[in-house]
Amino acid sequence: MIVLGIETSCDETAAAIIQDGEILSSVVSTHWLHNSYGGVVPELASRAHLVLLPPILDQAIDESGISLEAIDAVAVTRGPGLIGALLVGIAAAKAIAFARNIPVIGVNHLEGHLWSAVFESSDLKPPFLALLVSGGHTMLVDVEEFGKYRIIGQTRDDAAGEAFDKVAVLCGLGYPGGAQIEKRARTGDSAYYEFPIGMHGQRGYDFSFSGLKTAVATFLRKNPEAKHDHLADLLCCFQEAAVASLIEPTCRALRQSNYQALVISGGVAANLRLRQRLGEEAERVGVRFLYPGLQLCTDNAIMIAWVGWKRLLKGQKDGLEMSGEANFPLPGILK
Ligand SMILES: Nc1ncnc2c1ncn2[C@@H]1O[C@H](COP(=O)(O)OP(=O)(O)OP(=O)(O)O)[C@@H](O)[C@H]1O
Ligand SMILES: [Mg+2]
């Protein structure tokens, strides 16, 4: 089955084509126009998707080596995301499905992230523990099987990616700043300052990043020269605290259950320090540690096409009345 995937939930316009789970093409365009605003401006994102999506669809089809006529179904991100941005992708998906008389299926963006490691590890099989760390979400998900998910922990305030992005803006690195922080932190001294670790010493599997973010802001207010004289050290210490804030609840969950594998996904999963530390911990606990390729951590349409394909194989599809849902919940949530 050949599936066209479309992703427009935030500030990446993306299209991809997969055939029976194999990637034929993938095109992603990130909207750098938000950089100077310190965050995504929803109206600008919607307008950028309108301009970018048609040529990106053309490019994805060209690069796949197949024609539009060969596509069997269209999968599109239905939510969660910015409603105006979602509607652009959904309108395009429905138009293609209607014109070609093929099925369309709305996909949950987070379910896409959850499974994005499958392209790196084709033997990825549930049950596993998933740590989803993106720009808008931070959660631990017990994946019982495809379509059956139990959220065992989540952030009580900011998402991990949001903390990276806010600290990057505070340090004048622009938006989104996670990758920039990682790059600059490489030469930093982790003994320079000790920032607080969210939920340190607590029970349960929830996360917290607002205290860490505030601690960095307070430190910079009291030590403005650090931004110039000790930027790498400051970012290294922030990154260490952010990574520890992710690792502590994850390791508690790993130790308290019998998981065979830990899978990370989402933009922050591209962070090599996080991968290294989680890899060490997983080895200590004796579980496999799996992660997506770097390109599949941040938003892309491959993961949307893949989840759509799996759902289509189960006989699911949507009607043309399907619309975007800004707070679309993960499907199949178990209590
Ligand atoms: N190397 C890195 N280290 C830390 N953070 C990173 C790195 N690369 C990207 N990020 C962060 O990942 C986030 C973007 O990830 P992603 O595209 O998955 O999020 P999103 O789609 O905006 O949010 P969501 O999936 O929750 O709707 C940004 O916050 C960005 O700073
Ligand atoms: Mg995302």
Side-chain angles (χ1 to χ4, degrees):
M1 186 192 299
I2 301 182
V3 180
L4 165 67
I6 298 177
E7 156 63 42
T8 63
S9 67
C10 191
D11 57 342
E12 264 95 18
T13 310
I17 297 175
I18 65 169
Q19 180 167 23
D20 299 325
E22 297 290 323
I23 304 166
L24 299 185
S25 67
S26 171
V27 185
V28 181
S29 175
T30 301
H31 308 170
W32 293 107
L33 56 92
H34 306 286
N35 185 291
S36 53
Y37 296 95
V40 177
V41 183
E43 183 57 24
L44 294 182
S46 312
R47 288 171 190 269
H49 287 305
L50 272 177
V51 174
L52 290 168
L53 189 54
I56 281 177
L57 283 168
D58 285 344
Q59 195 182 336
I61 289 165
D62 281 354
E63 289 179 8
S64 71
I66 55 125
S67 67
L68 183 62
E69 284 65 42
I71 290 164
D72 297 306
V74 189
V76 61
T77 303
R78 182 170 174 190
L82 302 169
I83 190 65
L86 290 165
L87 290 176
V88 177
I90 291 171
K94 290 199 292 192
I96 295 169
F98 179 69
R100 295 261 357 277
N101 196 23
I102 54 175
V104 63
I105 184 151
V107 169
N108 184 288
H109 180 84
L110 302 180
E111 193 176 22
H113 277 305
L114 279 182
W115 289 97
S116 52
V118 77
F119 293 95
E120 210 66 23
S121 313
S122 53
D123 58 340
L124 173 66
K125 292 254 178 332
F128 58 80
L129 179 68
L131 171 64
L132 196 169
V133 268
S134 60
H137 297 82
T138 299
M139 50 172 70
L140 271 174
V141 184
D142 177 342
V143 178
E144 205 170 285
E145 58 183 68
F146 179 81
K148 283 194 181 167
Y149 309 110
R150 187 176 284 108
I151 298 174
I152 64 166
Q154 52 192 320
T155 184
R156 296 196 177 177
D157 38 60
D158 296 341
E162 213 175 328
F164 271 89
D165 292 338
K166 284 180 177 160
V167 167
V169 169
L170 283 173
C171 293
L173 300 178
Y175 172 89
Q180 273 294 323
I181 289 184
E182 181 184 358
K183 199 169 135 204
R184 287 168 190 255
R186 268 181 223 145
T187 54
D189 177 3
S190 61
Y192 170 65
Y193 192 76
E194 199 171 325
F195 287 114
I197 296 168
M199 306 301 285
H200 181 57
Q202 305 283 317
R203 291 172 181 206
Y205 315 124
D206 280 349
F207 304 90
S208 169
F209 291 93
S210 65
L212 170 59
K213 179 190 67 186
T214 306
V216 175
T218 307
F219 180 85
L220 279 172
R221 205 166 44 246
K222 290 185 180 161
N223 307 277
E225 73 292 343
K227 207 161 129 179
H228 308 287
D229 304 344
H230 286 282
L231 185 61
D233 299 335
L234 177 84
L235 295 176
C236 177
C237 296
F238 159 74
Q239 182 174 262
E240 288 301 306
V243 166
S245 305
L246 288 168
I247 283 185
E248 289 192 10
T250 306
C251 287
R252 269 199 293 280
L254 285 179
R255 289 206 186 88
Q256 286 165 10
S257 295
N258 262 336
Y259 294 105
Q260 301 297 305
L262 168 68
V263 181
I264 55 166
S265 60
V268 183
N271 188 284
L272 297 183
R273 181 68 180 144
L274 174 65
R275 288 179 180 217
Q276 181 200 3
R277 291 270 279 110
L278 272 177
E280 291 164 1
E281 293 295 335
E283 199 177 333
R284 207 164 290 154
V285 184
V287 303
R288 278 182 83 196
F289 176 51
L290 306 170
Y291 40 82
L294 289 179
Q295 305 298 326
L296 267 88
C297 289
T298 41
D299 288 351
N300 63 85
I302 296 172
M303 64 186 195
I304 304 303
W306 191 88
V307 169
W309 171 61
K310 289 300 251 189
R311 291 194 168 273
L312 287 157
L313 288 179
K314 286 173 175 283
Q316 301 174 10
K317 62 177 185 165
D318 285 300
L320 290 178
E321 72 288 350
M322 186 256 298
S323 191
E325 281 190 49
N327 299 312
F328 193 33
L330 199 57
I333 298 266
L334 304 168
K335 292 288 168 210

